Amino acid sequence: MFMKKIENNLNTEQIQAVLETEHPVLVLSGAGTGKTRVITYKTAYLIAEKNIRAEKILALTFTNKAAGEMKERTYTLIMNHTQINPVFKNLWIGTFHSVCARMLRFHAKQLGYTPQFTITDTDDQNKLLKELIKEKKYLHLDKIGRVKEDISRAKNNFLEAEDLFHLGETKADEYWIELSKLYQDYNNYLLKNNTMDFDDLIVNPVKLLYQEPEIRAYWQKQFDYILVDEFQDTNKSQYLLLTLLMKPDGKNLTMVGDDDQSIYSFRGAAIENILSVPKDFKDLVLIKVVQNYRSTPEILDLANFVISNNKNRLGKELKAVHSSFQNTLPSLFASENDKTEAQEICQKMLVLSEEHPDWKLAVIYRTNAQSRIFETVLNQSRLSYTILGTKSFFDRKEIKDVIAYFRLIINPKDDLAFKRIVNIPLRGIGDVSVEKLSKLADEQNLSLFETLEKIYRDQVKPSLKPSVIKELKNFYLLISELYELSGKNPEKVLDILLDATDYKKFLDTYDNEAERIENLNELKRYYDSYFQEDEAPSFENFLAQLSLLDHSQNENDKESFAEKKIFLTTVHSCKGLEFDSVFITGLAEEIFPHYLSVSTEENLEEERRLFYVAVTRAKKHLSLSYPKTYFRNRNYEFLAKSRFIREIPADKIIKEKNGSSLDDLKDLSGFSF
């Protein structure tokens, strides 16, 4: 009965992948080919047709959502199409981290932990590292993002503290010498407090399985079959984990993935894992699933051609199941600058939405900072939209901090703005001091900043430490000087503010500092262009313009995905999704490919994979665009179009006439989805 279900719902290559149970299997499953379907059908097949008990199957993926869907679909398949009622309570379907945490409960004592160990999340990890750095007075570990990344990298490469110390001595670099000490301090703290971080959840089982033959034999006997989804996203330690869990000959291992969609090296994913599988497994069955159920032939032709320029790949060509949509080739247009590019894309989306009201439309860009120009244009045009994977540009911490400074400069009665930034960057003005200041302000019937002015002029004497009073007076001077500057030379306020506060250095203490600084640079670009291009620029008007923007909801709002129409997203955030129409924007050198990713062939190939992933999100309509000039350093600079565009043959794309400069989108105002 279940075999009939397989034959009716899977294609030839998928059926082969499901039925192969005697050899190690690598399923090279391209974008839009239904890779997760192979995992769920094979799990159900093993239970329904091969009589394998559910708890003897291990199925691994990378997100809780994917694991939940995998478990639900497998259960539904078995319940609806067999007479079996499996006990799913003990089913081993989950993320690498959740499965490893479950395994570690059995063997925590061998590692010096109790089975009740807890898991330290990212926020707690940041706090702990900062406390240890401060306590030990490490002078060279000021960038917490780098410190955390290097500790994670050390763990996943199974390095000890002495390895980092030796590296520091070899390089004569105090950073690595201090990091080796912090690494030891950090690991000692975790062990003492019976807690593990996320890297430990993978690394510790690998150590156990490698060092303890009896434990390795136990888990190899536990799992008759191991199935892995999104195999291209595995890192070194996850790959080692799989080789230690599988049977010695590897015949019980099925890996499903796509080397052309390996885009997470910044998280530690190693494309070498999937590329080395044909060499690592002697009797490997390699199956290429290439029937694409998403995109038109024209879109896939373009995707296939561009990705073929990568040398380090196993090689495949996607084939469209669906026919052409109105015989339309993907299109390409150039705009004078990124502002007119955003305006024209909005214009095109309006036309498409009127012609196809049920379509989902996506703007895909390389970095989060690029959302700003689209948010601005869409908000001004009153077009509703949703940002995937992150907050609205104007809701990001670093942007809200700067805007709070702007608000206080303009309005000394804005206590909310005052409280947000009086200790940002850190000035030693804690919550207790702010609370005392607030009580004093209430007694004086003044705002916090007005009270600060009285303190500065020694007209009132607060019950605060002298060091705090000194910092408060300095803060008052800073805001007062910026207020004066906002009237005389408003175009300089942002630069002076960032320099005077050393705000960018302050961001070193946060995760993703490079992305945060990129967001600040984008805000500066917006700020500079306003004062250069607006007919009657003023500091007050710029702040009003920001405040009037009707910020979009992020992906966690109350509407379901099905109810939404326009999406803004980076490539990384939209992987696994699909849209009727896709606009890939900013296809110019230095933007896409990113200027930090063109120095090596390895990085450039990942950039090309990113472009490939973006292209293969499109179902029916694909538009590519790039700005001929880009505003930065208070000037428009010419940019070369992306090499990825230059790689596309002329017969695979329609080149539109150069975009026109749209001064406004009055015909869009009032329109919303």
Side-chain angles (χ1 to χ4, degrees):
M1 183 178 176
F2 190 71
M3 280 301 303
K4 193 71 174 174
K5 175 74 174 175
I6 291 175
E7 292 168 1
N8 290 340
N9 288 275
L10 302 182
N11 61 41
T12 303
E13 292 78 16
Q14 290 172 327
I15 292 173
Q16 182 187 1
V18 168
L19 301 185
E20 178 55 67
T21 59
E22 300 302 319
H23 299 90
V25 180
L26 174 60
V27 183
L28 207 58
S29 186
T33 60
K35 61 174 68 68
T36 304
R37 174 172 281 212
V38 171
I39 299 283
T40 54
Y41 270 81
K42 186 158 191 170
T43 303
Y45 168 75
L46 290 170
I47 295 171
E49 296 292 334
K50 302 288 286 185
N51 298 316
I52 304 296
R53 297 205 313 273
E55 66 270 20
K56 302 288 284 182
I57 301 169
L58 173 62
L60 294 165
T61 187
F62 282 87
T63 68
N64 290 320
K65 180 181 177 183
E69 290 176 353
M70 193 183 296
K71 188 180 295 186
E72 183 180 345
R73 291 175 186 177
T74 302
Y75 182 81
T76 300
L77 280 172
I78 293 173
M79 294 300 293
N80 290 350
H81 302 284
T82 73
Q83 301 301 314
I84 301 172
N85 187 9
V87 179
F88 268 67
K89 183 173 67 173
N90 297 320
L91 193 63
W92 288 81
I93 292 180
T95 65
F96 274 90
H97 289 94
S98 65
V99 165
C100 284
R102 187 174 166 188
M103 291 171 61
L104 283 168
R105 302 290 176 193
F106 291 87
H107 309 290
K109 291 182 180 178
Q110 281 93 328
L111 293 165
Y113 291 84
T114 74
Q116 292 74 38
F117 69 85
T118 56
I119 299 168
T120 296
D121 64 21
T122 302
D123 287 342
D124 287 339
Q125 183 186 24
N126 284 342
K127 291 176 185 175
L128 173 57
L129 289 171
K130 288 176 183 177
E131 287 174 4
L132 289 172
I133 290 169
K134 183 179 181 180
E135 177 187 331
K136 303 291 184 176
K137 298 181 179 178
Y138 294 129
L139 302 177
H140 297 83
L141 306 180
D142 54 340
K143 295 190 175 182
I144 195 67
R146 180 189 174 188
V147 167
K148 201 169 78 165
E149 286 177 11
D150 286 336
I151 286 177
S152 175
R153 193 175 294 112
K155 287 194 176 191
N156 280 285
N157 283 282
F158 305 96
L159 300 179
E160 301 296 335
E162 52 264 33
D163 297 315
L164 300 182
F165 185 82
H166 178 68
L167 177 64
E169 285 192 321
T170 303
K171 291 186 170 186
D173 189 338
E174 284 295 321
Y175 170 83
W176 290 103
I177 292 173
E178 287 191 353
L179 187 71
S180 70
K181 298 173 183 177
L182 175 65
Y183 190 50
Q184 189 67 57
D185 297 336
Y186 174 66
N187 287 329
N188 288 344
Y189 181 95
L190 293 179
L191 183 60
K192 180 182 177 182
N193 288 271
N194 198 39
T195 186
M196 299 186 196
D197 65 22
F198 285 111
D199 291 311
D200 291 330
L201 294 180
I202 307 295
V203 170
N204 283 338
V206 171
K207 289 179 179 178
L208 276 174
L209 294 167
Y210 182 77
Q211 295 169 357
E212 304 288 343
E214 290 185 3
I215 294 177
R216 182 166 67 250
Y218 171 84
W219 288 106
Q220 287 179 349
K221 185 178 179 181
Q222 167 66 36
F223 300 123
D224 288 343
Y225 290 94
I226 302 173
L227 299 86
V228 188
D229 197 13
E230 303 289 2
F231 184 76
Q232 77 281 348
D233 293 336
T234 55
N235 61 24
K236 179 180 178 180
S237 55
Q238 289 163 338
Y239 189 53
L240 287 173
L241 176 73
L242 292 171
T243 61
L244 291 166
L245 285 175
M246 70 185 190
K247 306 291 185 190
D249 55 9
K251 74 174 186 179
N252 66 330
L253 180 60
T254 296
M255 300 154 280
V256 181
D258 182 7
D259 55 330
D260 291 332
Q261 295 190 79
S262 178
I263 60 172
Y264 293 112
S265 64
F266 68 96
R267 293 181 185 168
I271 191 174
E272 297 80 17
N273 290 350
I274 192 168
L275 295 179
S276 67
V277 166
K279 293 178 287 184
D280 293 348
F281 294 85
K282 187 177 76 171
D283 297 322
L284 179 77
V285 175
L286 176 61
I287 302 169
K288 297 182 180 181
V289 180
V290 295
Q291 290 190 50
N292 177 285
Y293 297 90
R294 176 184 298 155
S295 306
T296 65
E298 294 83 0
I299 292 171
L300 293 184
D301 282 348
L302 188 152
N304 287 330
F305 196 91
V306 171
I307 201 63
S308 69
N309 287 279
N310 275 4
K311 297 175 183 177
N312 296 305
R313 60 190 295 260
L314 297 174
K316 66 181 179 308
E317 280 202 3
L318 298 179
K319 298 177 182 178
V321 172
H322 299 309
S323 57
S324 299
F325 178 75
Q326 299 177 349
N327 295 314
T328 304
L329 287 171
S331 64
L332 168 68
F333 73 89
S335 286
E336 291 303 316
N337 54 57
D338 58 328
K339 182 178 180 181
T340 57
E341 181 186 23
Q343 290 173 329
E344 290 183 71
I345 286 173
C346 289
Q347 184 79 36
K348 292 172 185 291
M349 287 195 295
L350 174 56
V351 173
L352 282 173
S353 65
E354 290 175 340
E355 293 176 352
H356 309 283
D358 58 333
W359 274 23
K360 295 189 182 302
L361 316 172
V363 179
I364 302 179
Y365 35 78
R366 176 63 181 83
T367 65
N368 276 315
Q370 288 172 263
S371 75
R372 196 277 305 168
I373 188 72
F374 286 95
E375 290 185 66
T376 302
V377 172
L378 286 165
N379 279 313
Q380 289 171 347
S381 309
R382 300 184 185 179
L383 292 171
S384 62
Y385 62 94
T386 298
I387 296 183
L388 297 176
T390 188
K391 294 180 178 179
S392 160
F393 179 86
F394 299 100
D395 285 335
R396 295 166 197 168
K397 175 195 161 37
E398 56 278 11
I399 305 303
K400 293 191 78 166
D401 286 348
V402 172
I403 292 175
Y405 267 103
F406 286 180
R407 286 166 50 192
L408 189 59
I409 290 167
I410 292 299
N411 177 17
K413 293 183 179 294
D414 193 334
D415 282 357
L416 287 176
F418 183 101
K419 289 179 180 179
R420 182 180 181 94
I421 47 89
V422 69
N423 200 36
I424 291 180
L426 300 179
R427 300 182 174 92
I429 305 170
D431 292 342
V432 173
S433 297
V434 173
E435 187 176 341
K436 289 181 179 179
L437 188 64
S438 296
K439 288 182 179 178
L440 183 58
D442 289 342
E443 291 170 3
Q444 300 281 322
N445 196 27
L446 297 172
S447 72
L448 289 168
F449 190 78
E450 290 168 337
T451 304
L452 200 54
E453 181 178 9
K454 284 186 172 290
I455 294 173
Y456 177 77
R457 301 186 186 285
D458 294 325
Q459 295 174 352
V460 294
K461 293 184 178 181
S463 57
L464 296 169
K465 294 178 181 178
S467 61
V468 174
I469 293 174
K470 180 182 177 182
E471 289 299 329
L472 283 170
K473 288 184 175 182
N474 288 338
F475 179 70
Y476 171 80
L477 273 178
L478 172 65
I479 300 300
S480 298
E481 289 168 2
L482 289 172
Y483 171 74
E484 188 174 342
L485 189 66
S486 71
K488 294 179 179 179
N489 299 105
E491 70 279 3
K492 295 182 179 180
V493 170
L494 180 56
D495 284 337
I496 299 296
L497 168 63
L498 295 177
D499 288 343
T501 59
D502 208 3
Y503 186 83
K504 289 185 178 180
K505 183 173 176 58
F506 166 69
L507 290 178
D508 288 343
T509 62
Y510 285 85
D511 279 344
N512 305 321
E513 68 269 20
E515 182 179 310
R516 294 177 186 276
I517 289 172
E518 196 164 4
N519 288 334
L520 278 183
N521 291 338
E522 177 62 25
L523 179 64
K524 174 174 164 46
R525 219 168 60 81
Y526 182 31
Y527 188 85
D528 289 345
S529 66
Y530 167 80
F531 282 101
Q532 183 161 316
E533 297 175 0
D534 197 88
E535 292 180 359
S538 73
F539 189 75
E540 292 88 344
N541 287 344
F542 178 78
L543 181 58
Q545 190 177 103
L546 290 183
S547 301
L548 290 171
L549 289 173
D550 182 17
H551 304 149
S552 82
Q553 310 94 344
N554 67 23
E555 65 174 331
N556 297 316
D557 66 11
K558 295 179 180 179
E559 290 182 319
S560 69
F561 185 89
E563 295 173 317
K564 299 169 183 174
K565 300 298 181 185
I566 291 181
F567 300 85
L568 304 181
T569 176
T570 63
V571 186
H572 289 105
S573 293
C574 68
K575 185 174 176 290
L577 301 177
E578 61 184 27
F579 308 91
D580 298 283
S581 174
V582 165
F583 294 84
I584 306 177
T585 183
L587 286 167
E589 290 294 307
E590 300 184 40
I591 302 175
F592 200 169
H594 196 272
Y595 69 95
L596 293 177
S597 301
V598 294
S599 57
T600 68
E601 189 65 26
E602 180 183 2
N603 288 341
L604 184 57
E605 289 204 349
E606 180 156 342
E607 289 292 301
R608 191 176 283 109
R609 292 194 294 272
L610 278 165
F611 180 63
Y612 172 83
V613 168
V615 168
T616 53
R617 300 310 94 198
K619 294 167 66 176
K620 300 166 186 172
H621 172 265
L622 174 66
S623 174
L624 313 178
S625 61
Y626 66 97
K628 292 186 288 186
T629 61
Y630 194 68
F631 189 88
R632 59 185 169 192
N633 302 320
R634 296 193 172 97
N635 283 300
Y636 279 99
E637 299 177 7
F638 285 98
L639 295 178
K641 63 184 174 184
S642 171
R643 67 194 71 193
F644 304 145
I645 291 177
R646 299 198 299 270
E647 290 169 357
I648 302 171
D651 64 347
K652 297 190 182 300
I653 199 161
I654 297 174
K655 293 184 179 179
E656 300 180 13
K657 293 181 180 179
N658 285 351
S660 58
S661 296
L662 301 178
D663 294 327
D664 56 48
L665 293 178
K666 291 179 181 176
D667 52 333
L668 295 181
S669 64
F671 182 89
S672 62
F673 291 105

